[in-house]
Amino acid sequence: MEILVLLKQVPDTESIIMIGDDGRSIKTADLKWVINPYDEFAVEEALRIREAQGGKVTIVSVGTDKAVEAIRTALAMGADEGVLINDPAIAGIDGLATARILAAAVKQIPYDLIIAGMRAVDDDNFQVGSAVAELLEIPSVSMVIKEELDDGKIRCHRTIEGGIEVVEASLPALFTTQRGLNEPRYASLPGIMKAKKKPLETKTLVDIGLDASVAEQTTVNIVAMQPPPERKGGRIIEGETAQEKAAELARLLHEEAKVL
Amino acid sequence: MSVLAVAEQRDGVFRKVTYEALSEGKRLADGMGSDLVALVLGSNIENAAGELGKYGAERILVAEHEALAEYLTDQYTKVAAEAIAAENPEVVILGASTQGKDLSARLSARLGAPLAMECVAVRVENGNVVATRPMYGGKVIAEVALNGKPQMVAIRPNAMSIVETQGAGNVEKLAVDPGESVLQFVEKKLETGKVELTEADIVVSGGRGMGGSDYAVVEKLAELLGGAVGASRSAVDEGWRPHSDQVGQTGKVVSPNLYIACGISGAIQHLAGMSSSKVIVAINKDAEAPIFSKADYGIVGDLFEIVPVLTEEIAKVKG
Ligand SMILES: Cc1cc2nc3c(=O)[nH]c(=O)nc-3n(C[C@H](O)[C@H](O)[C@H](O)COP(=O)(O)OP(=O)(O)OC[C@H]3O[C@@H](n4cnc5c(N)ncnc54)[C@H](O)[C@@H]3O)c2cc1C
Ligand SMILES: Nc1ncnc2c1ncn2[C@@H]1O[C@H](COP(=O)(O)O)[C@@H](O)[C@H]1O
């Protein structure tokens, strides 16, 4: 089974995000970068499938030089190869342009199954995985918490409001991960040593048959960024007993906040 | 010129976000001097579809086919893409539900259309949509300008108000060809009676302070309030609650009128998922817990003492 994982490097979720001086990007200097948590699920699931069925796991990422770390971490977890599409033209592109680049890159690699995250926790677009599948004209199932492969088919349990839905697709197919799918392993020390020797190829847009015009097709542009409205700590409700505090809170919610 | 709102129904019942999308679509259409058109996909939905005129739809396009009874990405994408291409609207608006996200992502790629996901506000400037949407799990609020046609906005459930304005509501049945699906629907398992977190007006969440999987005190309060039960990631990791209950940067983002956090410390990833709630209440035995610095009202105390009496007191004021 040839499995591709679409992997993005993002700021650690612990990060405090500061807005840059241009007012429409973030300050990146002090950030710690990690594999997008949903893509970590994707790597883990790919490894489990390979362990069960044999095959190869290839990481595909669009990013800058820095993204090499994230790919190496995935290789240290156990993935076999990495491909980084790194090109100066790529800065500031939108989700659809990213999907076009990924689709072009993926077309150069044999695959039976592609796994992506349901969302990247930086732009929160919830878009790129399904868009890549659309561009490749293969089936996609999003927000998957369980999958079973059998006889050229993949049966996916996907989360929907208030429950789950089970859908089957024939391979090749793409699915996107949802929390609950698995618990990603940590990279072991031998894994980290081995990862250093694993193939990691960097490609430009031209190498994948595109040019800068793909980036110019960006039609979603960030024009401003703001911190969310500052929440100030409000009132700590005092009282002698639990009863007194609870009664006062109920009154405030009813009369002052008017939410009851 | 038109604004097209894609309605979402499940088993013939429209989801709340559909009314939000129509109301917001109507507002945009008015601003652009154009009409709101609704698009409904499904099986046996013609009767229900007429209702959408109440939210400002001048025309209601009904794509009815038995193959559309259950949501399947490819057939819904094909039918919606063809209807949109024929209608040629300036703006397509829909709910960023699990279905809406899946559909809009594929549609945007098929149509080559710009898409803004999980929008909390939308406006039109010189014919272009400018959408406000949280990024970095709510740590940043971005404004994005869309360029192209149609411009697609998927709105976050519960973020926009529902406004009733009567439109002509003329139902037009479309000729539909869903084609053969490469997907097979197997089954749908729904928890009946469960209030969906992202749609709830009130959320009561329990964290590691719950100390175990017995959420009875929190559930009782949520039930009284007609709200949903949420959880922190720690509670989910402990196996006390299902993943679908997790609120936060890697869980669900909620913006209810009232969020009550019980035994939750207020980690940055949790705050990202709930800080856009209108009113936040924290109940925690540690007066230093960071959650208090974000809460409108706080009670320092043991949740097992406070929550049951709070439930009684709220029952009293609600009458
Ligand atoms: C990649 C990543 C993603 C993450 N995503 C999320 C996410 O989406 N959502 C999320 O919630 N977290 C997330 N986290 C985890 C987050 O960092 C915190 O660990 C988690 O939110 C803590 O949960 P908690 O507040 O329930 O537990 P704790 O931090 O342990 O806090 C428990 C609180 O309960 C109080 N308490 C204990 N007993 C009682 C009692 N009897 N009465 C009243 N109060 C009591 C304590 O004083 C304490 O403040 C993520 C972490 C990582 C690394
Ligand atoms: N730059 C990228 N490189 C590789 N994969 C990406 C990239 N951006 C997004 N993806 C994939 O698409 C998923 C959804 O991302 P998004 O649509 O940006 O929320 C991610 O979890 C990744 O699997």
Side-chain angles (χ1 to χ4, degrees), chain A residues 5-9 36-39 42 60-63 84-85 90 93 95 98-99 102 115-130 132 176-177, chain B residues 105 117 133:
Chain A
V5 173
L6 309 184
L7 179 145
K8 187 178 191 186
Q9 190 185 38
N36 176 38
Y38 291 91
D39 303 348
V60 185
S61 186
V62 173
L84 172 66
I85 296 90
I90 285 171
I93 60 172
T98 307
L102 283 166
I115 316 181
M118 75 157 172
R119 76 194 242 220
V121 302
D122 52 356
D123 56 34
D124 286 331
N125 274 339
F126 292 88
Q127 177 186 16
V128 171
S130 302
V132 167
T176 74
T177 63
Chain B
M117 197 68 94
R133 55 181 304 269

Side-chain angles (χ1 to χ4, degrees), chain A residues 237-255:
Chain A
I237 294 161
E238 307 292 343
E240 289 299 314
T241 61
Q243 168 91 40
E244 249 179 67
K245 293 181 199 173
E248 177 63 0
L249 176 58
R251 187 188 72 76
L252 288 167
L253 292 176
H254 185 60
E255 292 172 11

Side-chain angles (χ1 to χ4, degrees), chain B residues 18-319:
Chain B
T18 293
Y19 306 124
E20 295 165 0
L22 278 146
S23 303
E24 189 64 17
K26 170 67 178 157
R27 209 181 54 76
L28 293 177
D30 284 349
M32 297 163 69
S34 62
D35 281 347
L36 175 68
V37 179
L39 171 65
V40 189
L41 286 75
S43 167
N44 269 324
I45 37 145
E46 194 179 346
N47 287 339
E51 183 204 343
L52 300 180
K54 271 204 316 224
Y55 303 92
E58 291 302 315
R59 293 155 58 224
I60 302 164
L61 311 178
V62 176
E64 200 167 49
H65 195 286
E66 55 188 20
L68 301 176
E70 297 292 347
Y71 174 74
L72 281 173
T73 304
D74 55 348
Q75 291 182 321
Y76 266 63
T77 304
K78 178 171 189 291
V79 172
E82 285 168 2
I84 292 167
E87 186 61 30
N88 198 19
E90 324 297 316
V91 177
V92 172
I93 187 165
L94 75 173
S97 57
T98 56
Q99 178 177 321
K101 285 189 181 114
D102 190 76
L103 178 64
S104 60
R106 276 201 86 125
L107 270 178
S108 102
R110 181 158 311 181
L111 301 169
L115 167 65
M117 197 68 94
E118 291 247 22
C119 304
V120 294
V122 187
R123 62 176 201 274
V124 175
E125 263 175 31
N126 309 323
N128 283 335
V129 166
V130 179
T132 306
R133 55 181 304 269
M135 292 174 67
Y136 299 88
K139 293 174 190 170
V140 170
I141 309 295
E143 283 191 2
V144 297
L146 308 190
N147 241 296
K149 193 174 177 190
Q151 300 173 26
M152 298 183 61
V153 283
I155 60 167
R156 170 174 287 181
N158 236 6
M160 307 212 183
S161 40
I162 297 174
V163 183
E164 291 196 17
T165 18
Q166 192 61 48
N170 295 324
V171 173
E172 295 171 26
K173 278 197 86 165
L174 301 180
V176 175
D177 175 17
E180 281 293 315
S181 182
V182 292
L183 296 167
Q184 177 142 26
F185 176 83
V186 181
E187 62 176 330
K188 192 162 65 185
K189 295 183 215 164
L190 297 175
E191 284 181 58
T192 47
K194 189 168 169 174
V195 182
E196 167 58 27
L197 263 177
T198 51
E199 295 175 354
D201 285 330
I202 297 183
V203 173
V204 188
S205 285
R208 199 195 294 282
M210 297 301 298
S213 62
D214 184 356
Y215 266 53
V217 290
V218 162
E219 279 163 355
K220 277 205 192 103
L221 178 55
E223 195 190 322
L224 171 73
L225 295 167
V229 174
S232 70
R233 170 159 157 178
S234 297
V236 171
D237 283 345
E238 292 287 350
W240 302 339
R241 301 299 294 182
H243 287 105
S244 55
D245 283 2
Q246 182 181 319
V247 171
Q249 190 170 359
T250 56
K252 289 183 175 160
V253 176
V254 297
S255 41
N257 283 330
L258 175 60
Y259 187 88
I260 306 181
C262 309
I264 292 176
S265 61
I268 188 164
Q269 296 98 339
H270 190 81
L271 297 173
M274 45 63 85
S275 57
S276 61
S277 306
K278 203 167 137 232
V279 174
I280 297 174
V281 169
I283 300 167
N284 195 303
K285 66 179 183 192
D286 174 10
E288 303 296 313
I291 187 87
F292 286 122
S293 69
K294 302 287 173 191
D296 301 283
Y297 303 105
I299 294 184
V300 179
D302 186 332
L303 76 93
F304 292 100
E305 266 174 57
I306 306 287
V307 179
V309 278
L310 180 62
T311 308
E312 283 169 27
E313 293 300 329
I314 288 178
K316 279 189 215 160
V317 301
K318 283 182 68 120

